[in-house]
Amino acid sequence: MIGRHANLWQPICSKQTLESGQFVEFSLAATELNVDTLPLTGFAFLDGTTPKAYLNKCPHMGVELNWMPGRFMDTDNLFLQCSTHGALFKPRDGECIAGPCQGDALTALDIREAGDSLEVRLPE
Ligand code: FES
């Protein structure tokens, strides 16, 4: 059951911080979903001009996608890539199009502008 804190919006950065090609990483505030487990982390970026955010959690084994801060793209700069086994994900919807979790998808977070900030929350 999702707790009452699960869907609170939380600020992650200013709008100006999220520039094209940049990734912002963040931790989600503790919720009943992640108490007693590893903290949930996520990342945000611009897909064109649209902000996107996903949990930083590969659907294959649950590990974080990146092994270096801010590095999420494949060498062709077309797809999000898991650094553990190389799964590729479409930036627009998080669908895995190659790798051991093909057909699965990253968990998208809700993201919105609030004043000068960007805020995220777990999906309802
Ligand atoms: S853990 Fe991500 S592809 Fe295996």
Side-chain angles (χ1 to χ4, degrees):
M1 181 177 134
I2 295 178
R4 65 186 174 86
H5 299 299
N7 294 319
L8 287 182
W9 289 99
Q10 73 174 74
I12 55 165
C13 65
S14 70
K15 282 193 294 191
Q16 293 75 19
T17 304
L18 202 60
E19 295 175 354
S20 180
Q22 300 292 309
F23 286 81
V24 170
E25 297 180 63
F26 51 86
S27 293
L28 290 166
T31 71
E32 292 178 26
L33 283 179
N34 61 0
V35 167
D36 299 330
T37 63
L38 290 175
L40 289 173
T41 58
F43 60 96
F45 60 96
L46 289 178
D47 178 33
T49 58
T50 305
K52 293 276 182 184
Y54 293 103
L55 283 186
N56 192 359
K57 190 173 180 186
C58 181
H60 181 216
M61 296 185 71
V63 299
E64 292 189 342
L65 298 178
N66 58 318
W67 61 277
M68 283 179 60
R71 297 290 299 272
F72 288 87
M73 298 300 283
D74 67 350
T75 52
D76 293 331
N77 213 32
L78 291 174
F79 297 101
L80 301 164
Q81 185 168 38
C82 178
S83 60
T84 301
H85 303 114
L88 297 174
F89 303 90
K90 294 189 328 196
R92 186 143 300 171
D93 61 8
E95 179 190 354
C96 179
I97 51 104
C101 44
Q102 188 168 353
D104 214 332
L106 299 173
T107 300
L109 298 171
D110 295 333
I111 186 166
R112 72 177 183 186
E113 296 182 4
D116 285 338
S117 298
L118 289 173
E119 297 182 339
V120 297
R121 69 175 181 181
L122 288 165
E124 296 190 317

Short mmCIF file of all heavy atoms in Angstrom, two decimals, residues 56-118:
data_model
loop_
_atom_site.label_atom_id
_atom_site.label_comp_id
_atom_site.label_asym_id
_atom_site.label_seq_id
_atom_site.Cartn_x
_atom_site.Cartn_y
_atom_site.Cartn_z
N ASN A 56 15.97 5.95 -10.75
CA ASN A 56 17.27 5.45 -11.18
C ASN A 56 17.39 3.99 -10.75
O ASN A 56 18.11 3.65 -9.81
CB ASN A 56 18.39 6.30 -10.58
CG ASN A 56 19.74 6.00 -11.22
OD1 ASN A 56 19.83 5.14 -12.11
ND2 ASN A 56 20.76 6.70 -10.78
N LYS A 57 16.65 3.15 -11.45
CA LYS A 57 16.53 1.76 -11.04
C LYS A 57 16.29 0.91 -12.28
O LYS A 57 15.22 0.99 -12.90
CB LYS A 57 15.35 1.64 -10.06
CG LYS A 57 15.23 0.32 -9.37
CD LYS A 57 14.15 0.39 -8.32
CE LYS A 57 14.03 -0.95 -7.63
NZ LYS A 57 12.92 -1.01 -6.69
N CYS A 58 17.28 0.13 -12.65
CA CYS A 58 17.14 -0.71 -13.85
C CYS A 58 16.11 -1.80 -13.59
O CYS A 58 16.16 -2.49 -12.57
CB CYS A 58 18.49 -1.34 -14.19
SG CYS A 58 18.40 -2.37 -15.67
N PRO A 59 15.15 -1.99 -14.52
CA PRO A 59 14.15 -3.04 -14.31
C PRO A 59 14.75 -4.45 -14.35
O PRO A 59 14.09 -5.40 -13.92
CB PRO A 59 13.16 -2.83 -15.46
CG PRO A 59 13.82 -1.93 -16.42
CD PRO A 59 14.90 -1.18 -15.71
N HIS A 60 15.99 -4.59 -14.83
CA HIS A 60 16.59 -5.92 -14.86
C HIS A 60 16.94 -6.41 -13.47
O HIS A 60 16.47 -7.43 -13.02
CB HIS A 60 17.84 -5.91 -15.76
CG HIS A 60 18.51 -7.24 -15.87
ND1 HIS A 60 19.88 -7.37 -15.96
CD2 HIS A 60 17.99 -8.50 -15.90
CE1 HIS A 60 20.16 -8.67 -16.04
NE2 HIS A 60 19.05 -9.35 -16.01
N MET A 61 17.78 -5.68 -12.74
CA MET A 61 18.23 -6.13 -11.42
C MET A 61 18.04 -5.09 -10.32
O MET A 61 18.48 -5.30 -9.20
CB MET A 61 19.70 -6.56 -11.48
CG MET A 61 19.92 -7.77 -12.39
SD MET A 61 21.61 -8.39 -12.38
CE MET A 61 21.68 -9.09 -10.73
N GLY A 62 17.43 -3.98 -10.64
CA GLY A 62 17.12 -2.99 -9.61
C GLY A 62 18.27 -2.09 -9.23
O GLY A 62 18.15 -1.31 -8.28
N VAL A 63 19.38 -2.16 -9.95
CA VAL A 63 20.52 -1.31 -9.62
C VAL A 63 20.39 0.05 -10.31
O VAL A 63 19.61 0.21 -11.25
CB VAL A 63 21.87 -1.97 -10.05
CG1 VAL A 63 22.04 -3.29 -9.33
CG2 VAL A 63 21.90 -2.17 -11.56
N GLU A 64 21.17 1.02 -9.83
CA GLU A 64 21.18 2.32 -10.49
C GLU A 64 21.79 2.18 -11.89
O GLU A 64 22.68 1.36 -12.11
CB GLU A 64 21.96 3.33 -9.66
CG GLU A 64 21.24 3.66 -8.35
CD GLU A 64 21.87 4.80 -7.59
OE1 GLU A 64 23.04 5.14 -7.86
OE2 GLU A 64 21.18 5.38 -6.72
N LEU A 65 21.32 2.98 -12.80
CA LEU A 65 21.75 2.85 -14.19
C LEU A 65 23.18 3.30 -14.41
O LEU A 65 23.92 2.70 -15.18
CB LEU A 65 20.85 3.67 -15.11
CG LEU A 65 19.36 3.29 -15.17
CD1 LEU A 65 18.63 4.23 -16.09
CD2 LEU A 65 19.19 1.86 -15.62
N ASN A 66 23.55 4.37 -13.76
CA ASN A 66 24.83 5.01 -14.11
C ASN A 66 25.94 4.62 -13.15
O ASN A 66 25.70 4.40 -11.97
CB ASN A 66 24.68 6.53 -14.12
CG ASN A 66 24.22 7.09 -12.79
OD1 ASN A 66 23.35 6.54 -12.15
ND2 ASN A 66 24.81 8.20 -12.38
N TRP A 67 27.15 4.56 -13.66
CA TRP A 67 28.32 4.30 -12.81
C TRP A 67 29.14 5.56 -12.60
O TRP A 67 30.02 5.59 -11.78
CB TRP A 67 29.18 3.18 -13.38
CG TRP A 67 29.74 3.47 -14.74
CD1 TRP A 67 29.10 3.31 -15.93
CD2 TRP A 67 31.04 3.98 -15.03
NE1 TRP A 67 29.93 3.69 -16.95
CE2 TRP A 67 31.12 4.09 -16.43
CE3 TRP A 67 32.15 4.33 -14.26
CZ2 TRP A 67 32.26 4.57 -17.07
CZ3 TRP A 67 33.28 4.79 -14.90
CH2 TRP A 67 33.34 4.91 -16.28
N MET A 68 28.81 6.61 -13.34
CA MET A 68 29.45 7.91 -13.12
C MET A 68 28.37 8.96 -12.95
O MET A 68 27.34 8.90 -13.62
CB MET A 68 30.35 8.30 -14.30
CG MET A 68 31.68 7.57 -14.32
SD MET A 68 32.66 8.07 -15.74
CE MET A 68 32.83 9.82 -15.45
N PRO A 69 28.61 9.95 -12.10
CA PRO A 69 27.60 10.99 -11.90
C PRO A 69 27.20 11.66 -13.22
O PRO A 69 28.06 12.04 -14.01
CB PRO A 69 28.28 11.99 -10.96
CG PRO A 69 29.34 11.20 -10.27
CD PRO A 69 29.79 10.16 -11.25
N GLY A 70 25.90 11.75 -13.44
CA GLY A 70 25.41 12.49 -14.59
C GLY A 70 25.58 11.81 -15.93
O GLY A 70 25.25 12.41 -16.96
N ARG A 71 26.07 10.56 -15.95
CA ARG A 71 26.29 9.87 -17.23
C ARG A 71 25.22 8.79 -17.40
O ARG A 71 25.29 7.74 -16.76
CB ARG A 71 27.69 9.26 -17.28
CG ARG A 71 28.81 10.30 -17.20
CD ARG A 71 28.89 11.13 -18.48
NE ARG A 71 29.16 10.33 -19.64
CZ ARG A 71 30.39 10.02 -20.05
NH1 ARG A 71 31.45 10.45 -19.39
NH2 ARG A 71 30.55 9.27 -21.13
N PHE A 72 24.27 9.05 -18.29
CA PHE A 72 23.17 8.11 -18.48
C PHE A 72 23.00 7.67 -19.93
O PHE A 72 22.25 6.75 -20.20
CB PHE A 72 21.85 8.74 -18.00
CG PHE A 72 21.74 8.85 -16.51
CD1 PHE A 72 22.24 9.96 -15.85
CD2 PHE A 72 21.17 7.84 -15.76
CE1 PHE A 72 22.15 10.07 -14.47
CE2 PHE A 72 21.07 7.94 -14.38
CZ PHE A 72 21.56 9.05 -13.74
N MET A 73 23.65 8.36 -20.86
CA MET A 73 23.39 8.08 -22.27
C MET A 73 24.40 7.09 -22.84
O MET A 73 25.52 6.95 -22.35
CB MET A 73 23.45 9.38 -23.08
CG MET A 73 22.41 10.43 -22.68
SD MET A 73 20.70 9.86 -22.85
CE MET A 73 20.47 9.99 -24.64
N ASP A 74 23.98 6.40 -23.90
CA ASP A 74 24.89 5.51 -24.61
C ASP A 74 25.90 6.35 -25.41
O ASP A 74 25.81 7.58 -25.46
CB ASP A 74 24.11 4.54 -25.50
CG ASP A 74 23.40 5.24 -26.66
OD1 ASP A 74 23.34 6.49 -26.67
OD2 ASP A 74 22.89 4.55 -27.54
N THR A 75 26.85 5.67 -26.02
CA THR A 75 27.92 6.40 -26.70
C THR A 75 27.41 7.19 -27.90
O THR A 75 28.02 8.17 -28.31
CB THR A 75 29.05 5.46 -27.15
OG1 THR A 75 28.47 4.39 -27.89
CG2 THR A 75 29.81 4.92 -25.95
N ASP A 76 26.28 6.76 -28.48
CA ASP A 76 25.70 7.50 -29.60
C ASP A 76 24.81 8.65 -29.13
O ASP A 76 24.26 9.39 -29.95
CB ASP A 76 24.88 6.57 -30.50
CG ASP A 76 25.74 5.55 -31.21
OD1 ASP A 76 26.92 5.86 -31.47
OD2 ASP A 76 25.24 4.45 -31.49
N ASN A 77 24.62 8.75 -27.81
CA ASN A 77 23.80 9.82 -27.24
C ASN A 77 22.35 9.76 -27.71
O ASN A 77 21.71 10.78 -27.87
CB ASN A 77 24.42 11.18 -27.56
CG ASN A 77 24.17 12.17 -26.44
OD1 ASN A 77 24.09 11.79 -25.27
ND2 ASN A 77 24.01 13.43 -26.79
N LEU A 78 21.87 8.53 -27.91
CA LEU A 78 20.49 8.36 -28.37
C LEU A 78 19.60 7.75 -27.30
O LEU A 78 18.41 8.06 -27.23
CB LEU A 78 20.47 7.43 -29.61
CG LEU A 78 21.07 8.00 -30.89
CD1 LEU A 78 21.10 6.92 -31.97
CD2 LEU A 78 20.28 9.22 -31.36
N PHE A 79 20.15 6.83 -26.52
CA PHE A 79 19.34 6.10 -25.55
C PHE A 79 19.96 6.19 -24.17
O PHE A 79 21.19 6.30 -24.02
CB PHE A 79 19.24 4.61 -25.96
CG PHE A 79 18.55 4.40 -27.26
CD1 PHE A 79 19.28 4.15 -28.41
CD2 PHE A 79 17.17 4.48 -27.37
CE1 PHE A 79 18.66 3.97 -29.63
CE2 PHE A 79 16.53 4.31 -28.58
CZ PHE A 79 17.28 4.05 -29.72
N LEU A 80 19.09 6.10 -23.16
CA LEU A 80 19.56 5.91 -21.79
C LEU A 80 20.13 4.49 -21.71
O LEU A 80 19.59 3.57 -22.33
CB LEU A 80 18.39 6.05 -20.81
CG LEU A 80 17.66 7.40 -20.85
CD1 LEU A 80 16.30 7.29 -20.15
CD2 LEU A 80 18.51 8.48 -20.20
N GLN A 81 21.22 4.33 -20.98
CA GLN A 81 21.86 3.01 -20.94
C GLN A 81 22.18 2.61 -19.52
O GLN A 81 22.69 3.40 -18.72
CB GLN A 81 23.14 3.02 -21.77
CG GLN A 81 23.80 1.65 -21.86
CD GLN A 81 24.88 1.58 -22.90
OE1 GLN A 81 25.64 2.52 -23.08
NE2 GLN A 81 24.95 0.46 -23.61
N CYS A 82 21.90 1.35 -19.20
CA CYS A 82 22.30 0.79 -17.91
C CYS A 82 23.76 0.37 -18.01
O CYS A 82 24.14 -0.37 -18.91
CB CYS A 82 21.42 -0.41 -17.54
SG CYS A 82 21.93 -1.18 -15.99
N SER A 83 24.56 0.83 -17.07
CA SER A 83 26.00 0.54 -17.14
C SER A 83 26.32 -0.89 -16.71
O SER A 83 27.43 -1.37 -16.96
CB SER A 83 26.77 1.53 -16.26
OG SER A 83 26.35 1.42 -14.91
N THR A 84 25.38 -1.60 -16.10
CA THR A 84 25.69 -2.95 -15.61
C THR A 84 25.68 -3.98 -16.73
O THR A 84 26.65 -4.71 -16.93
CB THR A 84 24.70 -3.36 -14.49
OG1 THR A 84 24.81 -2.40 -13.43
CG2 THR A 84 25.04 -4.74 -13.94
N HIS A 85 24.58 -4.08 -17.49
CA HIS A 85 24.52 -5.05 -18.58
C HIS A 85 24.16 -4.41 -19.91
O HIS A 85 23.83 -5.10 -20.87
CB HIS A 85 23.53 -6.17 -18.26
CG HIS A 85 23.81 -6.90 -16.99
ND1 HIS A 85 22.97 -6.86 -15.91
CD2 HIS A 85 24.87 -7.67 -16.63
CE1 HIS A 85 23.49 -7.59 -14.92
NE2 HIS A 85 24.64 -8.08 -15.33
N GLY A 86 24.13 -3.10 -19.96
CA GLY A 86 24.01 -2.40 -21.24
C GLY A 86 22.62 -2.22 -21.79
O GLY A 86 22.46 -1.83 -22.96
N ALA A 87 21.57 -2.49 -21.00
CA ALA A 87 20.21 -2.29 -21.53
C ALA A 87 20.04 -0.85 -22.02
O ALA A 87 20.57 0.09 -21.43
CB ALA A 87 19.17 -2.60 -20.45
N LEU A 88 19.30 -0.70 -23.12
CA LEU A 88 19.04 0.61 -23.70
C LEU A 88 17.57 0.98 -23.52
O LEU A 88 16.68 0.15 -23.75
CB LEU A 88 19.38 0.61 -25.19
CG LEU A 88 20.85 0.36 -25.54
CD1 LEU A 88 21.01 0.23 -27.06
CD2 LEU A 88 21.74 1.48 -25.00
N PHE A 89 17.32 2.23 -23.15
CA PHE A 89 15.96 2.71 -22.88
C PHE A 89 15.67 3.95 -23.69
O PHE A 89 16.52 4.84 -23.82
CB PHE A 89 15.81 3.06 -21.39
CG PHE A 89 16.13 1.92 -20.46
CD1 PHE A 89 17.44 1.75 -20.00
CD2 PHE A 89 15.16 1.02 -20.06
CE1 PHE A 89 17.76 0.71 -19.15
CE2 PHE A 89 15.47 -0.03 -19.20
CZ PHE A 89 16.78 -0.19 -18.75
N LYS A 90 14.45 4.04 -24.23
CA LYS A 90 14.06 5.25 -24.96
C LYS A 90 13.88 6.39 -23.97
O LYS A 90 13.13 6.25 -22.99
CB LYS A 90 12.75 5.01 -25.72
CG LYS A 90 12.90 3.99 -26.82
CD LYS A 90 11.72 3.84 -27.75
CE LYS A 90 10.37 4.08 -27.22
NZ LYS A 90 9.29 3.57 -28.07
N PRO A 91 14.52 7.53 -24.20
CA PRO A 91 14.38 8.66 -23.27
C PRO A 91 12.94 9.13 -23.12
O PRO A 91 12.53 9.55 -22.05
CB PRO A 91 15.25 9.76 -23.90
CG PRO A 91 16.24 9.03 -24.74
CD PRO A 91 15.50 7.82 -25.26
N ARG A 92 12.15 9.03 -24.18
CA ARG A 92 10.80 9.61 -24.15
C ARG A 92 9.85 8.88 -23.21
O ARG A 92 9.06 9.50 -22.52
CB ARG A 92 10.22 9.63 -25.56
CG ARG A 92 8.90 10.36 -25.63
CD ARG A 92 8.77 11.13 -26.90
NE ARG A 92 9.82 12.13 -27.03
CZ ARG A 92 10.06 12.83 -28.13
NH1 ARG A 92 9.30 12.66 -29.18
NH2 ARG A 92 11.04 13.71 -28.18
N ASP A 93 9.92 7.53 -23.19
CA ASP A 93 8.96 6.79 -22.35
C ASP A 93 9.62 5.73 -21.47
O ASP A 93 8.93 5.02 -20.74
CB ASP A 93 7.86 6.16 -23.20
CG ASP A 93 8.39 5.17 -24.22
OD1 ASP A 93 9.60 4.84 -24.18
OD2 ASP A 93 7.60 4.71 -25.07
N GLY A 94 10.95 5.61 -21.54
CA GLY A 94 11.65 4.68 -20.67
C GLY A 94 11.58 3.23 -21.10
O GLY A 94 12.08 2.34 -20.39
N GLU A 95 10.99 2.95 -22.26
CA GLU A 95 10.88 1.56 -22.71
C GLU A 95 12.25 0.98 -23.02
O GLU A 95 13.06 1.62 -23.69
CB GLU A 95 10.00 1.47 -23.96
CG GLU A 95 9.87 0.06 -24.50
CD GLU A 95 9.20 -0.01 -25.87
OE1 GLU A 95 8.74 1.04 -26.36
OE2 GLU A 95 9.17 -1.10 -26.44
N CYS A 96 12.49 -0.24 -22.54
CA CYS A 96 13.75 -0.91 -22.85
C CYS A 96 13.64 -1.53 -24.23
O CYS A 96 12.76 -2.37 -24.47
CB CYS A 96 14.05 -1.99 -21.81
SG CYS A 96 15.57 -2.88 -22.16
N ILE A 97 14.54 -1.12 -25.14
CA ILE A 97 14.45 -1.62 -26.51
C ILE A 97 15.57 -2.60 -26.84
O ILE A 97 15.57 -3.20 -27.90
CB ILE A 97 14.45 -0.45 -27.53
CG1 ILE A 97 15.61 0.53 -27.28
CG2 ILE A 97 13.13 0.34 -27.45
CD1 ILE A 97 16.73 0.37 -28.25
N ALA A 98 16.50 -2.82 -25.92
CA ALA A 98 17.55 -3.82 -26.13
C ALA A 98 18.16 -4.15 -24.78
O ALA A 98 18.28 -3.29 -23.91
CB ALA A 98 18.62 -3.29 -27.07
N GLY A 99 18.53 -5.44 -24.63
CA GLY A 99 19.15 -5.86 -23.38
C GLY A 99 18.30 -6.86 -22.64
O GLY A 99 17.24 -7.27 -23.13
N PRO A 100 18.74 -7.27 -21.45
CA PRO A 100 18.07 -8.36 -20.74
C PRO A 100 16.66 -8.03 -20.24
O PRO A 100 15.91 -8.94 -19.91
CB PRO A 100 19.00 -8.64 -19.55
CG PRO A 100 19.85 -7.43 -19.41
CD PRO A 100 19.95 -6.81 -20.77
N CYS A 101 16.30 -6.76 -20.19
CA CYS A 101 14.94 -6.41 -19.75
C CYS A 101 14.14 -5.81 -20.90
O CYS A 101 13.23 -5.00 -20.69
CB CYS A 101 14.98 -5.46 -18.56
SG CYS A 101 16.18 -4.11 -18.71
N GLN A 102 14.45 -6.22 -22.13
CA GLN A 102 13.75 -5.71 -23.31
C GLN A 102 12.25 -5.87 -23.15
O GLN A 102 11.77 -6.94 -22.75
CB GLN A 102 14.22 -6.44 -24.57
CG GLN A 102 13.68 -5.84 -25.85
CD GLN A 102 14.37 -6.39 -27.09
OE1 GLN A 102 15.35 -7.13 -26.99
NE2 GLN A 102 13.86 -6.04 -28.25
N GLY A 103 11.49 -4.82 -23.44
CA GLY A 103 10.04 -4.84 -23.31
C GLY A 103 9.57 -4.30 -21.96
O GLY A 103 8.41 -3.94 -21.81
N ASP A 104 10.47 -4.29 -20.98
CA ASP A 104 10.14 -3.68 -19.69
C ASP A 104 10.40 -2.18 -19.80
O ASP A 104 10.73 -1.68 -20.88
CB ASP A 104 11.02 -4.31 -18.60
CG ASP A 104 10.29 -4.41 -17.27
OD1 ASP A 104 9.40 -3.58 -17.03
OD2 ASP A 104 10.62 -5.30 -16.47
N ALA A 105 10.28 -1.45 -18.72
CA ALA A 105 10.47 0.01 -18.80
C ALA A 105 10.94 0.58 -17.48
O ALA A 105 10.68 -0.01 -16.41
CB ALA A 105 9.16 0.69 -19.21
N LEU A 106 11.61 1.69 -17.56
CA LEU A 106 11.94 2.47 -16.37
C LEU A 106 10.65 3.00 -15.75
O LEU A 106 9.65 3.18 -16.45
CB LEU A 106 12.85 3.65 -16.74
CG LEU A 106 14.20 3.31 -17.36
CD1 LEU A 106 14.89 4.59 -17.83
CD2 LEU A 106 15.07 2.54 -16.38
N THR A 107 10.69 3.28 -14.46
CA THR A 107 9.54 3.87 -13.79
C THR A 107 9.59 5.38 -13.95
O THR A 107 10.50 6.04 -13.44
CB THR A 107 9.53 3.52 -12.29
OG1 THR A 107 9.48 2.10 -12.17
CG2 THR A 107 8.33 4.14 -11.59
N ALA A 108 8.62 5.93 -14.68
CA ALA A 108 8.56 7.38 -14.88
C ALA A 108 8.05 8.05 -13.62
O ALA A 108 7.15 7.53 -12.95
CB ALA A 108 7.65 7.70 -16.06
N LEU A 109 8.63 9.18 -13.29
CA LEU A 109 8.14 10.00 -12.19
C LEU A 109 7.33 11.15 -12.77
O LEU A 109 7.60 11.61 -13.89
CB LEU A 109 9.32 10.57 -11.39
CG LEU A 109 10.21 9.52 -10.72
CD1 LEU A 109 11.46 10.18 -10.15
CD2 LEU A 109 9.45 8.79 -9.63
N ASP A 110 6.35 11.60 -12.03
CA ASP A 110 5.65 12.82 -12.41
C ASP A 110 6.62 13.98 -12.22
O ASP A 110 7.39 14.01 -11.24
CB ASP A 110 4.42 13.04 -11.52
CG ASP A 110 3.36 11.96 -11.71
OD1 ASP A 110 3.31 11.37 -12.80
OD2 ASP A 110 2.59 11.72 -10.76
N ILE A 111 6.61 14.93 -13.12
CA ILE A 111 7.49 16.10 -13.01
C ILE A 111 6.71 17.33 -13.44
O ILE A 111 5.90 17.26 -14.38
CB ILE A 111 8.79 15.91 -13.84
CG1 ILE A 111 9.76 17.07 -13.60
CG2 ILE A 111 8.51 15.67 -15.30
CD1 ILE A 111 11.18 16.79 -14.11
N ARG A 112 6.91 18.44 -12.71
CA ARG A 112 6.19 19.66 -13.04
C ARG A 112 7.05 20.87 -12.70
O ARG A 112 7.99 20.78 -11.89
CB ARG A 112 4.87 19.75 -12.26
CG ARG A 112 5.07 20.03 -10.78
CD ARG A 112 3.75 20.18 -10.05
NE ARG A 112 3.98 20.53 -8.64
CZ ARG A 112 3.01 20.62 -7.73
NH1 ARG A 112 1.77 20.37 -8.07
NH2 ARG A 112 3.30 20.94 -6.48
N GLU A 113 6.70 21.99 -13.32
CA GLU A 113 7.32 23.26 -12.97
C GLU A 113 6.52 23.90 -11.86
O GLU A 113 5.29 23.88 -11.87
CB GLU A 113 7.36 24.19 -14.19
CG GLU A 113 8.22 23.66 -15.31
CD GLU A 113 8.27 24.62 -16.50
OE1 GLU A 113 7.69 25.73 -16.41
OE2 GLU A 113 8.88 24.26 -17.51
N ALA A 114 7.23 24.45 -10.88
CA ALA A 114 6.57 25.17 -9.79
C ALA A 114 7.40 26.41 -9.50
O ALA A 114 8.46 26.33 -8.88
CB ALA A 114 6.47 24.29 -8.55
N GLY A 115 6.96 27.53 -10.04
CA GLY A 115 7.77 28.75 -9.94
C GLY A 115 9.06 28.54 -10.71
O GLY A 115 9.04 28.14 -11.88
N ASP A 116 10.19 28.78 -10.05
CA ASP A 116 11.49 28.60 -10.70
C ASP A 116 12.02 27.19 -10.55
O ASP A 116 13.13 26.89 -11.00
CB ASP A 116 12.52 29.57 -10.11
CG ASP A 116 12.28 30.98 -10.63
OD1 ASP A 116 11.65 31.11 -11.70
OD2 ASP A 116 12.72 31.93 -9.96
N SER A 117 11.27 26.32 -9.88
CA SER A 117 11.78 24.98 -9.58
C SER A 117 11.11 23.90 -10.42
O SER A 117 10.03 24.12 -10.98
CB SER A 117 11.52 24.64 -8.10
OG SER A 117 12.21 25.53 -7.26
N LEU A 118 11.78 22.77 -10.47
CA LEU A 118 11.17 21.55 -10.99
C LEU A 118 10.90 20.64 -9.81
O LEU A 118 11.74 20.52 -8.91
CB LEU A 118 12.10 20.87 -11.99
CG LEU A 118 12.26 21.59 -13.32
CD1 LEU A 118 13.34 20.88 -14.15
CD2 LEU A 118 10.94 21.62 -14.09
#
